[in-house]
Amino acid sequence: MTYSDGTRSVHAGLPAPVVGEPFLPGPVFAAPYHLDPATGPGEHGYARTEHPTRELLESAIGALEGAPALVFASGQAAITALLLAVLRTGDTVALPADGYFTVRAFAETTLRDLGVKLVLIPTASHPYPDLTGVRLVLLETPANPGLDVCDIRAISAAAHAAGALVAVDNTTATPLGQNPLALGADLVVASGTKALTGHSDVLLGYVAATDPELLGRVETWRKQTGAVPGAFDCWLAHRSIATLDLRLARQSQNAAAVAELLLTRPDVTGVRWPGLPSDPSYPIASTQMRRIPGVVSFDLGSAERVARFLESAELVFAATSFGGVHTTADRRAQWGDDTAPGFVRFSCGIEDTTDLIADITAALDSSR
Ligand SMILES: *Cc1c(COP(=O)(O)O)cnc(C)c1O
């Protein structure tokens, strides 16, 4: 039986029912476990290597991505583990020029010092550059924060023909928004800190892959370097995944309304949302993605106007990160990101659409 997204979210990774036990067993707080003095470790010996609460979360994420998954202490822990487990001195890695900036910073320092060559490719490149000589291509689609998208299926086919592996950062879309492995990618990597868990209370990352040898390399890396999430964070994350379908549905509905509103405003420029038929991302997003995320980007012209807008809005928190149940807005240039001073990454929460639209309209009017 194949179930739809709401059912899959609720049941992802739950153990088979046991009379007298909870649906989702509580976090197991243990570093070492009792060993059999004669035979040594059984299923669980030491939590850096194996942990029951973490394994349940991994089976939940794996069920949604469609391949075995390994979780990490943050998205950056997952991405750097993937890069360092796959790349060797002399290799070339292709990264999105417009993707999550910390990944580029890592490549320009640590990877460069290790002798890994870097090429930066804008997500919306048409045609996509030749990948001959590249060992690994990391795609980020939709890219954060500009929301360009790329064709995972076409780029994966071209990369494989050139002998390159393909990894996709699925943070913004989430596994209910798109399944990169089904589209031909070799690896999926993501921050679970954002929409996947969605309550702004947990740092999490994961890597998923169909090829056991490839995922095994990442697992050995994690075991030897140790960036595992704690038991309580794993449990909180797993509990949150039950509502993923509901949260994404409301966030996407709110984003559609916010994008439509912003398009009518002469005092707002550069409105981007891949679900708008007029958006440059729409042709690929509408065929490749199963749903469009709740993130909208736009420009209010200056840092001062963004500040006035956020001071005036009651339902929009000034905060970084995105994908949470609360609506938030982040002026990216304050972090040294390569964006205009008035550029805003706006993350729609799950508030009622009419309340949100009224609040944003009033805040735009009074901040003009
Ligand atoms: C936030 C983010 C990351 C990093 O994740 P953390 O959990 O903050 O370490 C990586 N990629 C993308 C696209 C992100 O948005």
Side-chain angles (χ1 to χ4, degrees):
M1 179 86 186
T2 46
Y3 293 116
S4 297
D5 286 354
T7 313
R8 294 170 67 223
S9 304
V10 170
H11 286 276
L14 292 187
V18 176
V19 174
E21 294 293 324
F23 301 170
L24 177 64
V28 173
F29 294 110
Y33 313 86
H34 289 296
L35 300 180
D36 183 318
T39 60
E43 201 183 336
H44 294 110
Y46 188 56
R48 176 153 44 76
T49 325
E50 58 274 321
H51 188 284
T53 310
R54 198 168 75 216
E55 286 155 15
L56 289 179
L57 173 63
E58 289 175 338
S59 55
I61 294 173
L64 298 179
E65 285 288 4
L70 296 167
V71 292
F72 286 82
S74 69
Q76 276 307 109
I79 293 171
T80 55
L82 162 67
L83 294 171
L84 291 166
V86 169
L87 296 167
R88 293 292 171 267
T89 299
D91 284 348
T92 297
V93 64
L95 298 182
D98 47 348
Y100 189 67
F101 72 107
T102 314
V103 177
R104 283 199 301 283
F106 176 76
E108 280 159 3
T109 53
T110 305
L111 289 184
R112 184 161 290 172
D113 291 349
L114 290 172
V116 172
K117 286 171 269 184
L118 169 66
V119 291
L120 294 174
I121 302 178
T123 298
S125 298
H126 295 293
Y128 210 77
D130 182 36
L131 294 168
T132 306
V134 172
R135 173 85 186 108
L136 173 72
V137 189
L138 176 69
L139 307 176
E140 192 181 306
T141 179
N144 169 18
L147 302 177
D148 279 335
V149 304
C150 60
D151 187 334
I152 297 172
R153 195 187 295 277
I155 297 168
S156 295
H160 291 156
L165 289 168
V166 177
V168 176
D169 185 326
N170 210 21
T171 302
T172 306
T174 84
L176 294 189
Q178 77 193 356
N179 285 118
L181 298 174
L183 294 166
D186 302 287
L187 296 132
V188 178
V189 62
S191 168
T193 310
K194 318 289 172 52
L196 182 75
T197 61
H199 289 68
S200 307
D201 52 11
V202 148
L203 282 171
L204 186 76
Y206 68 88
V207 176
T210 316
D211 177 3
E213 191 274 326
L214 210 46
L215 198 66
R217 270 194 268 168
V218 179
E219 184 166 24
T220 301
W221 178 272
R222 187 184 67 172
K223 177 177 165 178
Q224 292 173 351
T225 59
V228 290
F232 189 60
D233 284 0
C234 288
W235 184 86
L236 266 182
H238 198 163
R239 191 180 103 138
S240 302
I241 286 173
T243 55
L244 180 59
D245 171 68
L246 288 175
R247 288 185 280 108
L248 293 178
R250 178 62 70 82
Q251 286 171 340
S252 192
Q253 173 189 317
N254 282 344
V258 168
E260 291 290 350
L261 165 71
L262 297 177
L263 277 186
T264 67
R265 304 267 324 188
D267 55 338
V268 179
T269 60
V271 179
R272 293 294 309 269
W273 187 60
L276 285 173
S278 58
D279 194 275
S281 293
Y282 184 82
I284 298 172
S286 59
T287 53
Q288 170 169 285
M289 301 188 71
R290 302 176 60 229
R291 54 174 99 199
I292 305 297
V295 183
V296 180
S297 60
F298 52 90
D299 198 320
L300 291 185
S302 69
E304 294 71 27
R305 175 144 194 248
V306 176
R308 289 199 302 277
F309 168 71
L310 290 174
E311 274 156 21
S312 164
E314 288 180 5
L315 300 180
V316 184
F317 293 161
T320 192
S321 197
F322 57 91
V325 294
H326 316 85
T327 293
T328 60
D330 191 16
R331 194 178 70 79
R332 288 303 304 168
Q334 72 189 316
W335 304 99
D337 224 352
D338 185 19
T339 52
F343 175 90
V344 176
R345 183 183 64 204
F346 193 91
S347 174
C348 295
I350 62 167
E351 298 88 350
D352 291 288
T353 309
T354 45
D355 293 341
L356 202 54
I357 293 299
D359 191 53
I360 295 168
T361 304
L364 286 172
D365 287 344
S366 71
S367 65
R368 221 172 351 205

